[in-house]
Amino acid sequence: MSKNKSSESVKVVVRCRPLSRKEESNGPVGGIVQMDLRLGQVILRNPRAPPSEPQKTFTFDAVYDANSKQRELYDESVRPLIDSVLGGFNGTIFAYGQTGTGKTYTMQGAWLDPERRGVIPNAFDHIFTHISRSQSDKQYLVRASYLEIYREEIRDLLDPNHGNARALELRENPETGVYVQDLTSCVCKSIKEIEEVMNVGNQARAVGATDMNEHSSRSHALFLITVECSQPGPDGRKHIRVGRLNLVDLAGSERQTKTGVQGERLKEAAKINLSLSALGNVISALADGRSGHVPYRDSKLTRLLQDSLGGNAKTVMVATLGPAPQHYDETLTTLRYANRAKNIQNQPRVNEDPKDALLREFQREIARLRAQLNHRKWRSKQKSEQVEDESWDGDQEKEIEDEEDEEVEKEGEDYVKLEEQRLESEKEAIRGDQDLMADEKQKLLGEKERMMVDLRKEQEATEQLTAKYKAMESKLLVGGKNIIDHTNEQQKMLEIKRQEIAEQTRKEREIQQQVLIQDEETLELRETFTSLQQEVEAKTKKLKKLYAKLQAIKVEIKDVNDEHVRSRQELEQTQNELTRELKFKYLIIENFIPPEEKNKIMNRLVFDPEEDQWKFQSLVPAESKSSQMKKRPASAVGYKRPISQYARVAIAMGGHSRYRAENIMFLELDMTPPNTASVDRSKDAEPNQSPSVDSSPTKEKGVRKSQSWCQTPKSMTSSPSNVSLAACHSATTAAAHGRLTDFSVRPTAGTQTHHHHLC
Ligand code: ADP
Ligand code: MG
């Protein structure tokens, strides 16, 4: 890593989109956002305030009004960042703003129209053009990943079964920081390929969503590009620089209404903006500079962007605004947010020779394959020479190694052909040989056949190795070679001029802003008054100016206070709703879950801060799991598996062998005829009632009737096994019923009868 640890602030630019057709038709109110492009200022008018109230002014690194072109924003504010990434810095661009203000337009834009292509496609162009124009001693490896964060879950958009895949997890590496485990990463060799990656991801995003607009306004999309560049340093060794670029299209910043929703919906609403509010807290904590603790760990987004905010990265934030008066509050919030972000200090540095550089691995693998391939070819050549000339000399080894690849390859092929021909002719000779016995002939032919197969196998293996080698090598982009640069000199000049102009504009703006600040500070020093009258006038003017400023700040304080109160009220409301939900859950747990079960569960639960979830501790410690699981439970000793008391008795009694050791109850059919006498009696008493419909089972009659279906004393004595079976059955059932009553379920009349009849 480089020792150069300079600090620089997060660049914040603001962009306002034009009034939409719908907003225009709402009335001739016009926009509430005014911009001073030269000074980089945004002036916001409050549509509800009296005209006397001063307007709010914010200053940023650059501002882009409704007429701004995508290209302007890119050349002025993004290009320098991408250049840094190509030089080995980490870079982040994120678009922040209310839904419908142009975040996606700024980041992606309209792909097919070159004028309206956004930051991402322009960055693709930029990166690959840079590679094609760089010196040929540089090797590049470009990778891309695409993910989204929705409801605090990370989803890989390049995973083919994105819809069903489980959420990915964040891991932390002390060397390289936070990363997403198992995230798909595609090596891209051209603009076309990386555009394809982007399109695949965008489609995956749209497929998962029922309403794309709503989905995109509630999820964060991160497109990640890693550019690794290897170049021989002054020491002659190859040095690798790794630049990581995060292109982030954030969820809509508008406040999610949490009031009035409950249960799952409430939790969902709370989760949707968790990342965004955590981002706000992180920005506040960093901008403040005083608070030691920065709550990066509060959300997935802030953990992923940890380096981009206050860490090793160069960061550009694009805050997008809409000009419509009805969104005044949100627009003001966005501007305040952006204003705060300006104060964040980052410490970007070049990532030199990091341990995890994939390029290094690729280079090693390519070298290994190359060596393997050369060895193989050398071996086949050696063999072919043996065939041609039996008195081959081992000293030739050296010469062959130095030979050109292609020659070796060609000779290898020749050798295979020759060898095949030779084997074929030998086979012919064997077939034609009259002296040989038939089975001997067969044996010799088989041997030759085997040799042919071996030869082919060898050739196939070599081919596979060659293909692998070529595939690996083609993934590395060599400066000035892999991509043909179609632009002619004139166009190149034009591009360079345009970039120079952008640079110039940026510098001018910086100077203007500095002049403005100095003006205010040094005004009174420069002023000398010739007369008292003049002094009074000048001071009155100054007083007025300062008074206006004071008023503006007062309004600001009131605004911030109001906002604070509003958000506090909202939080309290959310808290109330959550408390209500908690009470409801408690009620269920306290009254309907047996306390011993509850305690068991509580003792097993542990909180995993990494995933922000409660988890069950495994019952058996992980290391002794295998040995523990081998022991059979006490209830199953001597049996195939745990077995009930009933089944044990059944086995002891020598029941049906089919059900031995199985928990199946075995009862014989009761063949005793129904007791018609009692039925007849009941018929006499109530002639209208059918005997089979028993309306009041507690009556003696019902009990007696069901008794007839029990094991009669006669059958009990006839089959001793049945006796104990029945006895046991009634005992266990009774026990089950007894347990049931423990569960504070009041026994109903029905269960009582049942109980009765069994006993
Ligand atoms: P977001 O992603 O912030 O929700 P979108 O990028 O989808 O907003 O923009 C909403 C609409 O406004 C789109 O139809 C888009 O084409 C249009 N739009 C946004 N910004 C601009 C701009 N600078 N110039 C012209 N049209 C814009
Ligand atoms: Mg969008």
PDB file of all heavy atoms in Angstrom, residues 99-100 102-105 205 213 216-217 249-250, ligand 2:
ATOM      1  N   THR A  99     -37.626   9.629  -5.076  1.00  0.00           N
ATOM      2  CA  THR A  99     -38.015   8.854  -6.254  1.00  0.00           C
ATOM      3  C   THR A  99     -38.535   9.801  -7.346  1.00  0.00           C
ATOM      4  O   THR A  99     -39.286  10.725  -7.055  1.00  0.00           O
ATOM      5  CB  THR A  99     -39.118   7.854  -5.870  1.00  0.00           C
ATOM      6  OG1 THR A  99     -38.587   6.965  -4.890  1.00  0.00           O
ATOM      7  CG2 THR A  99     -39.587   7.059  -7.062  1.00  0.00           C
ATOM      8  N   GLY A 100     -38.090   9.535  -8.573  1.00  0.00           N
ATOM      9  CA  GLY A 100     -38.573  10.331  -9.696  1.00  0.00           C
ATOM     10  C   GLY A 100     -37.799  11.612  -9.945  1.00  0.00           C
ATOM     11  O   GLY A 100     -38.221  12.448 -10.733  1.00  0.00           O
ATOM     12  N   GLY A 102     -34.509  11.529 -10.915  1.00  0.00           N
ATOM     13  CA  GLY A 102     -33.476  11.307 -11.926  1.00  0.00           C
ATOM     14  C   GLY A 102     -32.238  10.577 -11.454  1.00  0.00           C
ATOM     15  O   GLY A 102     -31.173  10.724 -12.047  1.00  0.00           O
ATOM     16  N   LYS A 103     -32.358   9.757 -10.425  1.00  0.00           N
ATOM     17  CA  LYS A 103     -31.198   8.974  -9.982  1.00  0.00           C
ATOM     18  C   LYS A 103     -30.827   7.953 -11.059  1.00  0.00           C
ATOM     19  O   LYS A 103     -29.679   7.879 -11.480  1.00  0.00           O
ATOM     20  CB  LYS A 103     -31.506   8.221  -8.677  1.00  0.00           C
ATOM     21  CG  LYS A 103     -31.673   9.097  -7.470  1.00  0.00           C
ATOM     22  CD  LYS A 103     -31.867   8.300  -6.214  1.00  0.00           C
ATOM     23  CE  LYS A 103     -33.094   7.415  -6.267  1.00  0.00           C
ATOM     24  NZ  LYS A 103     -34.356   8.157  -6.335  1.00  0.00           N
ATOM     25  N   THR A 104     -31.822   7.163 -11.465  1.00  0.00           N
ATOM     26  CA  THR A 104     -31.548   6.146 -12.470  1.00  0.00           C
ATOM     27  C   THR A 104     -31.184   6.806 -13.797  1.00  0.00           C
ATOM     28  O   THR A 104     -30.318   6.323 -14.526  1.00  0.00           O
ATOM     29  CB  THR A 104     -32.766   5.220 -12.625  1.00  0.00           C
ATOM     30  OG1 THR A 104     -33.137   4.756 -11.329  1.00  0.00           O
ATOM     31  CG2 THR A 104     -32.450   4.034 -13.493  1.00  0.00           C
ATOM     32  N   TYR A 105     -31.823   7.936 -14.089  1.00  0.00           N
ATOM     33  CA  TYR A 105     -31.496   8.662 -15.314  1.00  0.00           C
ATOM     34  C   TYR A 105     -30.026   9.074 -15.288  1.00  0.00           C
ATOM     35  O   TYR A 105     -29.313   8.951 -16.280  1.00  0.00           O
ATOM     36  CB  TYR A 105     -32.390   9.888 -15.448  1.00  0.00           C
ATOM     37  CG  TYR A 105     -32.151  10.683 -16.707  1.00  0.00           C
ATOM     38  CD1 TYR A 105     -32.748  10.328 -17.910  1.00  0.00           C
ATOM     39  CD2 TYR A 105     -31.310  11.790 -16.688  1.00  0.00           C
ATOM     40  CE1 TYR A 105     -32.517  11.049 -19.061  1.00  0.00           C
ATOM     41  CE2 TYR A 105     -31.066  12.519 -17.836  1.00  0.00           C
ATOM     42  CZ  TYR A 105     -31.675  12.145 -19.026  1.00  0.00           C
ATOM     43  OH  TYR A 105     -31.427  12.862 -20.163  1.00  0.00           O
ATOM     44  N   ARG A 205     -33.436  -7.703 -11.990  1.00  0.00           N
ATOM     45  CA  ARG A 205     -34.065  -6.766 -11.073  1.00  0.00           C
ATOM     46  C   ARG A 205     -35.535  -6.590 -11.417  1.00  0.00           C
ATOM     47  O   ARG A 205     -36.392  -6.581 -10.549  1.00  0.00           O
ATOM     48  CB  ARG A 205     -33.376  -5.413 -11.228  1.00  0.00           C
ATOM     49  CG  ARG A 205     -32.860  -4.892  -9.944  1.00  0.00           C
ATOM     50  CD  ARG A 205     -32.342  -3.519 -10.095  1.00  0.00           C
ATOM     51  NE  ARG A 205     -32.722  -2.785  -8.894  1.00  0.00           N
ATOM     52  CZ  ARG A 205     -32.680  -1.489  -8.795  1.00  0.00           C
ATOM     53  NH1 ARG A 205     -32.315  -0.746  -9.804  1.00  0.00           N
ATOM     54  NH2 ARG A 205     -33.024  -0.915  -7.671  1.00  0.00           N
ATOM     55  N   ASN A 213     -41.312   0.187 -10.629  1.00  0.00           N
ATOM     56  CA  ASN A 213     -41.091   1.526 -10.103  1.00  0.00           C
ATOM     57  C   ASN A 213     -41.006   1.514  -8.590  1.00  0.00           C
ATOM     58  O   ASN A 213     -40.128   2.109  -7.986  1.00  0.00           O
ATOM     59  CB  ASN A 213     -42.246   2.431 -10.539  1.00  0.00           C
ATOM     60  CG  ASN A 213     -41.705   3.623 -11.285  1.00  0.00           C
ATOM     61  OD1 ASN A 213     -40.491   3.787 -11.381  1.00  0.00           O
ATOM     62  ND2 ASN A 213     -42.592   4.449 -11.783  1.00  0.00           N
ATOM     63  N   SER A 216     -37.785  -0.403  -7.465  1.00  0.00           N
ATOM     64  CA  SER A 216     -36.531   0.346  -7.600  1.00  0.00           C
ATOM     65  C   SER A 216     -36.496   1.522  -6.627  1.00  0.00           C
ATOM     66  O   SER A 216     -35.435   1.965  -6.223  1.00  0.00           O
ATOM     67  CB  SER A 216     -36.344   0.835  -9.026  1.00  0.00           C
ATOM     68  OG  SER A 216     -37.136   1.959  -9.256  1.00  0.00           O
ATOM     69  N   SER A 217     -37.680   1.996  -6.234  1.00  0.00           N
ATOM     70  CA  SER A 217     -37.655   3.109  -5.295  1.00  0.00           C
ATOM     71  C   SER A 217     -37.387   2.616  -3.878  1.00  0.00           C
ATOM     72  O   SER A 217     -37.114   3.393  -2.982  1.00  0.00           O
ATOM     73  CB  SER A 217     -38.954   3.883  -5.350  1.00  0.00           C
ATOM     74  OG  SER A 217     -39.972   3.159  -4.716  1.00  0.00           O
ATOM     75  N   ASP A 249     -27.039   3.241  -7.154  1.00  0.00           N
ATOM     76  CA  ASP A 249     -28.319   3.916  -7.376  1.00  0.00           C
ATOM     77  C   ASP A 249     -29.153   3.630  -6.126  1.00  0.00           C
ATOM     78  O   ASP A 249     -29.675   2.533  -5.955  1.00  0.00           O
ATOM     79  CB  ASP A 249     -28.966   3.326  -8.641  1.00  0.00           C
ATOM     80  CG  ASP A 249     -30.230   4.054  -9.044  1.00  0.00           C
ATOM     81  OD1 ASP A 249     -30.686   4.925  -8.281  1.00  0.00           O
ATOM     82  OD2 ASP A 249     -30.759   3.744 -10.130  1.00  0.00           O
ATOM     83  N   LEU A 250     -29.245   4.609  -5.255  1.00  0.00           N
ATOM     84  CA  LEU A 250     -29.895   4.378  -3.959  1.00  0.00           C
ATOM     85  C   LEU A 250     -31.417   4.322  -4.072  1.00  0.00           C
ATOM     86  O   LEU A 250     -31.990   4.767  -5.068  1.00  0.00           O
ATOM     87  CB  LEU A 250     -29.516   5.489  -2.985  1.00  0.00           C
ATOM     88  CG  LEU A 250     -28.075   5.531  -2.516  1.00  0.00           C
ATOM     89  CD1 LEU A 250     -27.841   6.776  -1.690  1.00  0.00           C
ATOM     90  CD2 LEU A 250     -27.741   4.300  -1.695  1.00  0.00           C
TER      91      LEU A 250
HETATM   92 MG    MG B   2     -34.675   4.774 -10.068  1.00  0.00          MG
END
